[in-house]
């Protein structure tokens, strides 16, 4: 699969995840709608993290001629989503909340900001 195809798949999952994650923070916690949005958000985040593992890093140093620093956010997501889900299923609201806030800040806001750095696809797409 081409990098461009993977990028479009990634965008098709991360953009709704960003919207749903934002809505989830605004909504009252523990409600049925919060749970539904949260589950969809978690699935989208896991899917997008897996997709990004197939996208080679073109900026900065690489490991195995493929993985870059940005892939650490994928690993963070693949670890955090299931552990946050398990935490809430066990009734550990504090752990769930911390993990979900960390995931949103790290994997969406910080990683998203990095995608607009010079030399990266999104920077070239938006700023030519």
């Amino acid at each position: 699969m081409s990098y461009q195809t993977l990028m479009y798949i990634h965008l098709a999952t991360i953009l709704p995840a960003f919207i749903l994650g934002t809505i989830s923070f605004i909504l009252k916690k523990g409600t049925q709608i919060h749970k539904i949005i949260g589950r969809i958000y978690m699935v989208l985040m896991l899917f997008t993290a897996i997709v990004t593992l197939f996208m080679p890093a073109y900026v900065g140093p690489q490991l195995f001629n493929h993985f870059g620093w940005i892939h650490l956010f994928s690993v963070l997501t693949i670890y955090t989503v299931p552990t946050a889900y398990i935490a809430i299923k066990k009734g550990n609201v504090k752990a769930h909340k911390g993990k979900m806030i960390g995931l949103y800040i790290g994997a969406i806001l910080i990683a998203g900001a990095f995608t607009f750095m010079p030399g990266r696809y999104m920077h070239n797409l938006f700023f030519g």
Side-chain angles (χ1 to χ4, degrees):
M1 199 172 295
S2 75
Y3 183 88
Q4 192 170 21
T5 301
L6 291 169
M7 176 58 65
Y8 289 131
I9 293 169
H10 175 52
L11 287 173
T13 54
I14 199 62
L15 292 175
F18 170 71
I19 292 166
L20 292 175
T22 303
I23 291 169
S24 184
F25 280 123
I26 295 168
L27 292 176
K28 180 175 169 47
K29 308 307 177 259
T31 64
Q32 193 62 31
I33 191 71
H34 174 81
K35 291 175 184 179
I36 292 168
I37 288 174
R39 286 183 183 121
I40 296 168
Y41 171 75
M42 287 179 152
V43 168
L44 287 169
M45 289 300 291
L46 271 178
F47 188 81
T48 202
I50 292 166
V51 167
T52 60
L53 290 176
F54 292 96
M55 298 168 66
Y58 291 120
V59 176
Q62 291 182 335
L63 178 64
F64 305 121
N65 286 331
H66 181 85
F67 299 105
W69 290 110
I70 195 83
H71 288 100
L72 292 175
F73 292 106
S74 303
V75 174
L76 166 78
T77 301
I78 292 167
Y79 168 79
T80 303
V81 168
T83 59
Y85 184 78
I86 291 167
I88 201 62
K89 283 298 180 188
K90 290 184 174 181
N92 190 344
V93 175
K94 184 177 179 180
H96 173 77
K97 181 180 180 180
K99 289 173 183 292
M100 295 311 292
I101 290 170
L103 180 67
Y104 186 84
I105 292 170
I108 292 185
L109 298 182
I110 295 173
F114 281 131
T115 66
F116 287 95
M117 300 298 283
R120 300 195 51 90
Y121 183 82
M122 293 302 287
H123 181 271
N124 294 337
L125 184 66
F126 280 86
F127 305 113

